[in-house]
Amino acid sequence: MPIPTRRFPLVAPPTPASPSPARPTPDSPGSPTPPTPPRRTLLGLLPLPERTYVADALRAETVGGLILLAAAVAALIWANTFGGSYADVSGFHFGPASLGLDLSVAHWAADGLLAVFFFVVGAELKRELVAGQLRDPRAAALPIVAALCGMAVPALVYTLTNVVGGGSLSGWAVPTATDIAFALAVLAVIGTSLPAALRAFLLTLAVVDDLFAILIIAVFFTEDLDFLALGGAALGLLLFHLLLRFEVRGWYVYVPLALVIWGLMYNSGVHATIAGVAMGLMLRCTRREGEEHSPGEHIEHLVRPLSAGVAVPLFALFSAGVSLGGEALAGVITRPETLGVVLGLVVGKSVGIFGGTYLAARFTKAELNKDLAWADVFALASLAGIGFTVSLLIGELSFAGDAETVNEIKAAVLLGSLIAAVLAGVLLRLRVRRYRALYDAEELDEDGSGVPDIYEQDDPGYHLRMAAIHEKKAAEHRRRAQQAGATGNEPDSPA
């Protein structure tokens, strides 16, 4: 998809205040009262370029999400019907042992293929920071606060559950991540046509969520450092940056360098996916004069299909294959670690994101779009409780070496995501007629200009085109009226 700059103005600019009659004040008799500043609109109508990007991004992410969903289902079927072969394939080792890269298939999927996913995430973050929603501090406040609360509250729910139940606190970060691709796949399955503002809120929230998930992985899951390998990775990143700055072109230059950087990062003790994020953040995502797309947008457009269609589904195939036998399911309910994950995803995410959004609106004096209700925000917050890709990765890192607990944590992630999906689906379906009416109004292009009518209300040309359309229809009705009158005056015509 051609990718315009992503900018999701979740808080619409204030509309001009209507003039009010001057009223004298006690301090200055006869002087007019300053007009009250208008309140900003929360989740208002998106500008047309942002709406176009949201539509394009949704199409790509939804397709990737459906492939991811299919891979997860295939993994569950494979692991629970032919568990021996699944374990054999997942545990098969290959790679150059001399370079410290003799890894299992599952390990390659988690540390290798997910680096591609995190490269795309890094490019998205860079674009948001320099040319998108996060560039404006006032507009960025809403998704940042909502995402922070949407990560802090699940972690708190997990911690409280395990403090009360006497469980391990190691998995506090598991329920903090949202899987946007899986969430969009759920939306596609339930057939809910969300208005652009809600879709933009979900996408931007996921970008900020990914940012903090990356920080959690980098800070809390870094093992003993090998400073020599880390220094080599840093030099490789510096060379990568210089090549980009001097506009050296050619995949045959960057792909081998990226593989070297990844290998050094893996051996340094820092999680290897951080290499992908770092390289994505180095891309230039601002457009120069004469450029239709920035290099970052172009590269992201090329790599995204590989990430969504291959890397993430293969990771799911070799990570979501958990045993769903009676013992595993019983463990999800009885163990505080797994129960904390489920409650964190279902309760913590919805309460955290909804509460953060409400507080951000309250303290910034923003007013919710009159076409929406706070129930819509809560339904979307519930949808964000679908944690899959990053949650599974953090679960493996949190309980590394304890295969039984990792299996139960993965089962908890799947169960919590399923409950969140069902809950969000029910809440969204309750308002589906309202969403479709808003969606249809945003899509209506009665004058056939290729631009939705809702964006052309201040365009004189639009009104002239509509006038011509109505005049043509009026002329046709006058002709039919005359024809009907002539028919009625014939002698044999009915009275």
PDB file of all heavy atoms in Angstrom, residues 323-350:
ATOM      1  N   SER A 323      -0.340 -27.014  25.089  1.00  0.00           N
ATOM      2  CA  SER A 323      -1.222 -28.126  25.413  1.00  0.00           C
ATOM      3  C   SER A 323      -2.432 -27.608  26.171  1.00  0.00           C
ATOM      4  O   SER A 323      -2.301 -26.890  27.175  1.00  0.00           O
ATOM      5  CB  SER A 323      -0.478 -29.159  26.268  1.00  0.00           C
ATOM      6  OG  SER A 323      -1.353 -30.156  26.731  1.00  0.00           O
ATOM      7  N   LEU A 324      -3.606 -27.949  25.701  1.00  0.00           N
ATOM      8  CA  LEU A 324      -4.842 -27.492  26.337  1.00  0.00           C
ATOM      9  C   LEU A 324      -5.532 -28.639  27.065  1.00  0.00           C
ATOM     10  O   LEU A 324      -6.755 -28.706  27.150  1.00  0.00           O
ATOM     11  CB  LEU A 324      -5.786 -26.893  25.284  1.00  0.00           C
ATOM     12  CG  LEU A 324      -5.271 -25.643  24.566  1.00  0.00           C
ATOM     13  CD1 LEU A 324      -6.285 -25.153  23.563  1.00  0.00           C
ATOM     14  CD2 LEU A 324      -4.934 -24.543  25.568  1.00  0.00           C
ATOM     15  N   GLY A 325      -4.744 -29.544  27.603  1.00  0.00           N
ATOM     16  CA  GLY A 325      -5.300 -30.628  28.392  1.00  0.00           C
ATOM     17  C   GLY A 325      -5.892 -30.131  29.688  1.00  0.00           C
ATOM     18  O   GLY A 325      -5.772 -28.952  30.063  1.00  0.00           O
ATOM     19  N   GLY A 326      -6.524 -31.026  30.416  1.00  0.00           N
ATOM     20  CA  GLY A 326      -7.195 -30.643  31.660  1.00  0.00           C
ATOM     21  C   GLY A 326      -6.261 -29.999  32.667  1.00  0.00           C
ATOM     22  O   GLY A 326      -6.621 -29.032  33.335  1.00  0.00           O
ATOM     23  N   GLU A 327      -5.042 -30.512  32.778  1.00  0.00           N
ATOM     24  CA  GLU A 327      -4.110 -29.967  33.754  1.00  0.00           C
ATOM     25  C   GLU A 327      -3.712 -28.540  33.402  1.00  0.00           C
ATOM     26  O   GLU A 327      -3.622 -27.672  34.272  1.00  0.00           O
ATOM     27  CB  GLU A 327      -2.867 -30.850  33.845  1.00  0.00           C
ATOM     28  CG  GLU A 327      -3.142 -32.250  34.399  1.00  0.00           C
ATOM     29  CD  GLU A 327      -1.875 -33.061  34.510  1.00  0.00           C
ATOM     30  OE1 GLU A 327      -0.799 -32.514  34.168  1.00  0.00           O
ATOM     31  OE2 GLU A 327      -1.953 -34.226  34.940  1.00  0.00           O
ATOM     32  N   ALA A 328      -3.473 -28.284  32.108  1.00  0.00           N
ATOM     33  CA  ALA A 328      -3.074 -26.940  31.694  1.00  0.00           C
ATOM     34  C   ALA A 328      -4.192 -25.942  31.932  1.00  0.00           C
ATOM     35  O   ALA A 328      -3.963 -24.838  32.449  1.00  0.00           O
ATOM     36  CB  ALA A 328      -2.674 -26.944  30.223  1.00  0.00           C
ATOM     37  N   LEU A 329      -5.419 -26.310  31.569  1.00  0.00           N
ATOM     38  CA  LEU A 329      -6.547 -25.400  31.765  1.00  0.00           C
ATOM     39  C   LEU A 329      -6.840 -25.199  33.244  1.00  0.00           C
ATOM     40  O   LEU A 329      -7.192 -24.091  33.676  1.00  0.00           O
ATOM     41  CB  LEU A 329      -7.786 -25.941  31.043  1.00  0.00           C
ATOM     42  CG  LEU A 329      -7.697 -25.959  29.512  1.00  0.00           C
ATOM     43  CD1 LEU A 329      -8.956 -26.580  28.914  1.00  0.00           C
ATOM     44  CD2 LEU A 329      -7.496 -24.548  28.978  1.00  0.00           C
ATOM     45  N   ALA A 330      -6.709 -26.264  34.019  1.00  0.00           N
ATOM     46  CA  ALA A 330      -6.916 -26.120  35.462  1.00  0.00           C
ATOM     47  C   ALA A 330      -5.865 -25.209  36.068  1.00  0.00           C
ATOM     48  O   ALA A 330      -6.143 -24.409  36.970  1.00  0.00           O
ATOM     49  CB  ALA A 330      -6.886 -27.493  36.133  1.00  0.00           C
ATOM     50  N   GLY A 331      -4.648 -25.298  35.549  1.00  0.00           N
ATOM     51  CA  GLY A 331      -3.582 -24.449  36.066  1.00  0.00           C
ATOM     52  C   GLY A 331      -3.822 -22.978  35.800  1.00  0.00           C
ATOM     53  O   GLY A 331      -3.403 -22.113  36.583  1.00  0.00           O
ATOM     54  N   VAL A 332      -4.497 -22.667  34.700  1.00  0.00           N
ATOM     55  CA  VAL A 332      -4.796 -21.267  34.386  1.00  0.00           C
ATOM     56  C   VAL A 332      -5.682 -20.642  35.459  1.00  0.00           C
ATOM     57  O   VAL A 332      -5.538 -19.467  35.802  1.00  0.00           O
ATOM     58  CB  VAL A 332      -5.486 -21.169  33.005  1.00  0.00           C
ATOM     59  CG1 VAL A 332      -5.976 -19.750  32.749  1.00  0.00           C
ATOM     60  CG2 VAL A 332      -4.521 -21.598  31.915  1.00  0.00           C
ATOM     61  N   ILE A 333      -6.592 -21.435  36.008  1.00  0.00           N
ATOM     62  CA  ILE A 333      -7.523 -20.910  37.001  1.00  0.00           C
ATOM     63  C   ILE A 333      -6.956 -20.982  38.407  1.00  0.00           C
ATOM     64  O   ILE A 333      -7.226 -20.111  39.247  1.00  0.00           O
ATOM     65  CB  ILE A 333      -8.859 -21.694  36.945  1.00  0.00           C
ATOM     66  CG1 ILE A 333      -9.423 -21.648  35.519  1.00  0.00           C
ATOM     67  CG2 ILE A 333      -9.871 -21.118  37.925  1.00  0.00           C
ATOM     68  CD1 ILE A 333      -9.698 -20.262  35.004  1.00  0.00           C
ATOM     69  N   THR A 334      -6.154 -21.985  38.665  1.00  0.00           N
ATOM     70  CA  THR A 334      -5.713 -22.203  40.046  1.00  0.00           C
ATOM     71  C   THR A 334      -4.383 -21.537  40.383  1.00  0.00           C
ATOM     72  O   THR A 334      -4.157 -21.173  41.535  1.00  0.00           O
ATOM     73  CB  THR A 334      -5.588 -23.720  40.317  1.00  0.00           C
ATOM     74  OG1 THR A 334      -4.676 -24.306  39.364  1.00  0.00           O
ATOM     75  CG2 THR A 334      -6.950 -24.395  40.185  1.00  0.00           C
ATOM     76  N   ARG A 335      -3.506 -21.350  39.400  1.00  0.00           N
ATOM     77  CA  ARG A 335      -2.213 -20.733  39.691  1.00  0.00           C
ATOM     78  C   ARG A 335      -2.325 -19.224  39.669  1.00  0.00           C
ATOM     79  O   ARG A 335      -2.927 -18.638  38.756  1.00  0.00           O
ATOM     80  CB  ARG A 335      -1.164 -21.182  38.666  1.00  0.00           C
ATOM     81  CG  ARG A 335      -0.764 -22.639  38.795  1.00  0.00           C
ATOM     82  CD  ARG A 335       0.465 -22.931  37.969  1.00  0.00           C
ATOM     83  NE  ARG A 335       1.627 -22.148  38.401  1.00  0.00           N
ATOM     84  CZ  ARG A 335       2.854 -22.296  37.902  1.00  0.00           C
ATOM     85  NH1 ARG A 335       3.070 -23.216  36.961  1.00  0.00           N
ATOM     86  NH2 ARG A 335       3.848 -21.551  38.332  1.00  0.00           N
ATOM     87  N   PRO A 336      -1.775 -18.537  40.656  1.00  0.00           N
ATOM     88  CA  PRO A 336      -1.875 -17.068  40.672  1.00  0.00           C
ATOM     89  C   PRO A 336      -1.176 -16.415  39.488  1.00  0.00           C
ATOM     90  O   PRO A 336      -1.608 -15.360  39.019  1.00  0.00           O
ATOM     91  CB  PRO A 336      -1.216 -16.683  42.000  1.00  0.00           C
ATOM     92  CG  PRO A 336      -0.392 -17.867  42.400  1.00  0.00           C
ATOM     93  CD  PRO A 336      -1.087 -19.061  41.842  1.00  0.00           C
ATOM     94  N   GLU A 337      -0.084 -17.033  38.976  1.00  0.00           N
ATOM     95  CA  GLU A 337       0.625 -16.433  37.847  1.00  0.00           C
ATOM     96  C   GLU A 337      -0.268 -16.372  36.609  1.00  0.00           C
ATOM     97  O   GLU A 337      -0.348 -15.338  35.931  1.00  0.00           O
ATOM     98  CB  GLU A 337       1.888 -17.234  37.528  1.00  0.00           C
ATOM     99  CG  GLU A 337       2.951 -17.190  38.610  1.00  0.00           C
ATOM    100  CD  GLU A 337       2.783 -18.281  39.646  1.00  0.00           C
ATOM    101  OE1 GLU A 337       1.741 -18.976  39.611  1.00  0.00           O
ATOM    102  OE2 GLU A 337       3.678 -18.445  40.493  1.00  0.00           O
ATOM    103  N   THR A 338      -0.931 -17.481  36.313  1.00  0.00           N
ATOM    104  CA  THR A 338      -1.772 -17.520  35.116  1.00  0.00           C
ATOM    105  C   THR A 338      -3.066 -16.740  35.313  1.00  0.00           C
ATOM    106  O   THR A 338      -3.543 -16.080  34.397  1.00  0.00           O
ATOM    107  CB  THR A 338      -2.082 -18.980  34.751  1.00  0.00           C
ATOM    108  OG1 THR A 338      -2.568 -19.662  35.910  1.00  0.00           O
ATOM    109  CG2 THR A 338      -0.833 -19.687  34.259  1.00  0.00           C
ATOM    110  N   LEU A 339      -3.629 -16.812  36.505  1.00  0.00           N
ATOM    111  CA  LEU A 339      -4.843 -16.043  36.787  1.00  0.00           C
ATOM    112  C   LEU A 339      -4.550 -14.548  36.698  1.00  0.00           C
ATOM    113  O   LEU A 339      -5.376 -13.763  36.212  1.00  0.00           O
ATOM    114  CB  LEU A 339      -5.374 -16.396  38.179  1.00  0.00           C
ATOM    115  CG  LEU A 339      -6.696 -15.736  38.582  1.00  0.00           C
ATOM    116  CD1 LEU A 339      -7.809 -16.107  37.612  1.00  0.00           C
ATOM    117  CD2 LEU A 339      -7.074 -16.121  40.017  1.00  0.00           C
ATOM    118  N   GLY A 340      -3.359 -14.151  37.142  1.00  0.00           N
ATOM    119  CA  GLY A 340      -2.975 -12.745  37.045  1.00  0.00           C
ATOM    120  C   GLY A 340      -2.872 -12.278  35.608  1.00  0.00           C
ATOM    121  O   GLY A 340      -3.230 -11.136  35.287  1.00  0.00           O
ATOM    122  N   VAL A 341      -2.401 -13.152  34.710  1.00  0.00           N
ATOM    123  CA  VAL A 341      -2.322 -12.805  33.292  1.00  0.00           C
ATOM    124  C   VAL A 341      -3.719 -12.611  32.710  1.00  0.00           C
ATOM    125  O   VAL A 341      -3.991 -11.626  32.010  1.00  0.00           O
ATOM    126  CB  VAL A 341      -1.560 -13.899  32.517  1.00  0.00           C
ATOM    127  CG1 VAL A 341      -1.684 -13.676  31.012  1.00  0.00           C
ATOM    128  CG2 VAL A 341      -0.085 -13.903  32.919  1.00  0.00           C
ATOM    129  N   VAL A 342      -4.630 -13.551  33.012  1.00  0.00           N
ATOM    130  CA  VAL A 342      -5.995 -13.448  32.483  1.00  0.00           C
ATOM    131  C   VAL A 342      -6.676 -12.184  32.991  1.00  0.00           C
ATOM    132  O   VAL A 342      -7.269 -11.415  32.216  1.00  0.00           O
ATOM    133  CB  VAL A 342      -6.812 -14.702  32.866  1.00  0.00           C
ATOM    134  CG1 VAL A 342      -8.270 -14.533  32.457  1.00  0.00           C
ATOM    135  CG2 VAL A 342      -6.228 -15.944  32.215  1.00  0.00           C
ATOM    136  N   LEU A 343      -6.609 -11.951  34.298  1.00  0.00           N
ATOM    137  CA  LEU A 343      -7.256 -10.760  34.869  1.00  0.00           C
ATOM    138  C   LEU A 343      -6.590  -9.481  34.366  1.00  0.00           C
ATOM    139  O   LEU A 343      -7.258  -8.471  34.156  1.00  0.00           O
ATOM    140  CB  LEU A 343      -7.198 -10.816  36.402  1.00  0.00           C
ATOM    141  CG  LEU A 343      -8.030 -11.919  37.061  1.00  0.00           C
ATOM    142  CD1 LEU A 343      -7.822 -11.905  38.576  1.00  0.00           C
ATOM    143  CD2 LEU A 343      -9.504 -11.733  36.729  1.00  0.00           C
ATOM    144  N   GLY A 344      -5.277  -9.533  34.181  1.00  0.00           N
ATOM    145  CA  GLY A 344      -4.579  -8.358  33.676  1.00  0.00           C
ATOM    146  C   GLY A 344      -5.042  -7.975  32.288  1.00  0.00           C
ATOM    147  O   GLY A 344      -5.262  -6.799  31.995  1.00  0.00           O
ATOM    148  N   LEU A 345      -5.199  -8.980  31.407  1.00  0.00           N
ATOM    149  CA  LEU A 345      -5.638  -8.701  30.040  1.00  0.00           C
ATOM    150  C   LEU A 345      -7.101  -8.269  29.990  1.00  0.00           C
ATOM    151  O   LEU A 345      -7.449  -7.314  29.291  1.00  0.00           O
ATOM    152  CB  LEU A 345      -5.429  -9.942  29.163  1.00  0.00           C
ATOM    153  CG  LEU A 345      -3.984 -10.304  28.823  1.00  0.00           C
ATOM    154  CD1 LEU A 345      -3.925 -11.658  28.126  1.00  0.00           C
ATOM    155  CD2 LEU A 345      -3.345  -9.234  27.945  1.00  0.00           C
ATOM    156  N   VAL A 346      -7.962  -8.971  30.709  1.00  0.00           N
ATOM    157  CA  VAL A 346      -9.401  -8.723  30.605  1.00  0.00           C
ATOM    158  C   VAL A 346      -9.822  -7.500  31.416  1.00  0.00           C
ATOM    159  O   VAL A 346     -10.543  -6.624  30.914  1.00  0.00           O
ATOM    160  CB  VAL A 346     -10.194  -9.965  31.054  1.00  0.00           C
ATOM    161  CG1 VAL A 346     -11.700  -9.691  31.004  1.00  0.00           C
ATOM    162  CG2 VAL A 346      -9.848 -11.159  30.182  1.00  0.00           C
ATOM    163  N   VAL A 347      -9.378  -7.426  32.652  1.00  0.00           N
ATOM    164  CA  VAL A 347      -9.808  -6.341  33.544  1.00  0.00           C
ATOM    165  C   VAL A 347      -8.827  -5.165  33.477  1.00  0.00           C
ATOM    166  O   VAL A 347      -9.232  -4.012  33.318  1.00  0.00           O
ATOM    167  CB  VAL A 347      -9.932  -6.853  34.997  1.00  0.00           C
ATOM    168  CG1 VAL A 347     -10.332  -5.708  35.930  1.00  0.00           C
ATOM    169  CG2 VAL A 347     -10.943  -7.986  35.080  1.00  0.00           C
ATOM    170  N   GLY A 348      -7.535  -5.485  33.620  1.00  0.00           N
ATOM    171  CA  GLY A 348      -6.544  -4.411  33.696  1.00  0.00           C
ATOM    172  C   GLY A 348      -6.487  -3.557  32.451  1.00  0.00           C
ATOM    173  O   GLY A 348      -6.445  -2.319  32.539  1.00  0.00           O
ATOM    174  N   LYS A 349      -6.495  -4.179  31.275  1.00  0.00           N
ATOM    175  CA  LYS A 349      -6.406  -3.415  30.028  1.00  0.00           C
ATOM    176  C   LYS A 349      -7.613  -2.502  29.847  1.00  0.00           C
ATOM    177  O   LYS A 349      -7.476  -1.318  29.518  1.00  0.00           O
ATOM    178  CB  LYS A 349      -6.286  -4.369  28.843  1.00  0.00           C
ATOM    179  CG  LYS A 349      -4.881  -4.778  28.496  1.00  0.00           C
ATOM    180  CD  LYS A 349      -4.085  -3.598  27.928  1.00  0.00           C
ATOM    181  CE  LYS A 349      -2.712  -4.018  27.475  1.00  0.00           C
ATOM    182  NZ  LYS A 349      -1.937  -2.869  26.931  1.00  0.00           N
ATOM    183  N   SER A 350      -8.816  -3.036  30.016  1.00  0.00           N
ATOM    184  CA  SER A 350     -10.022  -2.237  29.780  1.00  0.00           C
ATOM    185  C   SER A 350     -10.130  -1.101  30.781  1.00  0.00           C
ATOM    186  O   SER A 350     -10.401   0.056  30.402  1.00  0.00           O
ATOM    187  CB  SER A 350     -11.264  -3.135  29.834  1.00  0.00           C
ATOM    188  OG  SER A 350     -11.325  -3.837  31.059  1.00  0.00           O
TER     189      SER A 350
END
